[in-house]
């Protein structure tokens, strides 16, 4: 004898699996004013899964229930075969009025349906990262003024003759002339220029 329960259960799970292939994410198209954040409301969740569920013979029923076990919303997926799947989400009412009760029911329906259908809200951060490169702050590094010593070294290195080197040296402040790096630059440039000078200038010393 054939086990009918296994056949029908297999039917509803197969139908749900086929429906899930067609489902997309629940779009975060509503704004929470308290937290200034986007979220997927009940309408977005239903739009993401209900058409696919219905196409594969699955109806969604979400009655609020109040019994000895407490208050909750029961989410039922009813397959055309007669088999059902269900879950319960507790009702936690913030305000003891119809507005508070209605908000709790909507919240429970939303999370119950997402859990049963196997969908998730759209990942805004992930989608944004995939669509555009990370923003790089366009900040120029602080520009540092060159020191007097570095300016002097540059001028000495650019001297084209011993006479020019001597003139540059004489124009430098005494405090700059005492810098070890400046003295070295002067001596190095003097050694480089000396072979190029004519014979009589080669025997003369720069007056410093």
């Amino acid at each position: 004898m054939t086990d009918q329960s296994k056949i029908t259960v297999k039917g509803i799970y197969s139908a749900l699996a086929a429906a899930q292939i067609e489902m997309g994410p629940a779009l975060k198209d509503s704004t929470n004013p308290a937290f200034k954040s986007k979220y997927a409301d009940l309408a977005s969740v239903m739009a993401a899964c209900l058409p696919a569920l219905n196409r594969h013979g699955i109806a969604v029923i979400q009655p609020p229930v109040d019994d000895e076990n407490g208050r909750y919303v029961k989410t039922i997926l009813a397959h055309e075969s007669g088999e059902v799947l269900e879950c319960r989400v507790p009702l936690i009412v913030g305000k003891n009025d119809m507005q508070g009760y209605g908000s709790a029911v909507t919240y429970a329906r939303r999370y119950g349906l997402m859990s049963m259908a196997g969908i998730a809200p759209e990942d805004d951060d992930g989608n944004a990262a995939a669509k555009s490169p990370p923003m790089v702050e366009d900040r120029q590094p602080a520009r540092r003024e060159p020191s007097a010593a570095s300016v002097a070294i540059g001028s000495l290195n650019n001297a084209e003759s011993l006479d020019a080197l001597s003139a540059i040296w004489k124009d430098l402040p005494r405090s700059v002339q005492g810098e070890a790096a400046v003295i070295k630059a002067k001596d190095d440039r003097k050694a480089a220029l000396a072979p190029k000078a004519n014979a009589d200038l080669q025997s003369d010393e720069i007056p410093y």
Side-chain angles (χ1 to χ4, degrees), residues 9-31:
V9 170
K10 180 179 178 181
I12 190 172
Y13 279 109
S14 296
L16 180 58
Q20 287 176 333
I21 294 175
E22 302 175 10
M23 295 179 193
L27 301 180
K28 293 182 178 180
D29 52 10
S30 295
T31 302

Side-chain angles (χ1 to χ4, degrees), residues 15-94:
L16 180 58
Q20 287 176 333
I21 294 175
E22 302 175 10
M23 295 179 193
L27 301 180
K28 293 182 178 180
D29 52 10
S30 295
T31 302
N32 186 325
F35 299 100
K36 307 298 183 183
S37 59
K38 303 287 285 184
Y39 72 98
D41 60 13
L42 179 59
S44 294
V45 174
M46 295 186 73
C49 66
L50 198 57
L53 291 171
N54 292 164
R55 276 194 297 272
H56 292 275
I58 300 174
V60 176
I61 307 167
Q62 294 187 287
V65 179
D66 189 351
D67 59 19
E68 66 277 6
N69 296 318
R71 302 167 73 184
Y72 53 88
V73 168
K74 181 187 291 186
T75 297
I76 304 168
L77 301 186
H79 188 232
E80 59 189 5
S81 64
E83 289 295 317
V84 299
L85 299 173
E86 63 181 57
C87 76
R88 297 179 180 185
V89 177
L91 279 178
I92 302 175
V93 182

Side-chain angles (χ1 to χ4, degrees), residues 91-129:
L91 279 178
I92 302 175
V93 182
K95 293 182 180 179
N96 191 23
D97 56 20
M98 288 304 296
Q99 183 178 5
Y101 178 78
S103 296
V105 169
T106 299
Y107 188 97
R109 288 183 63 194
R110 180 159 57 100
Y111 277 86
L113 184 53
M114 282 196 297
S115 298
M116 292 294 286
I119 62 173
E122 178 187 35
D123 183 359
D124 290 342
D125 293 336
N127 289 341

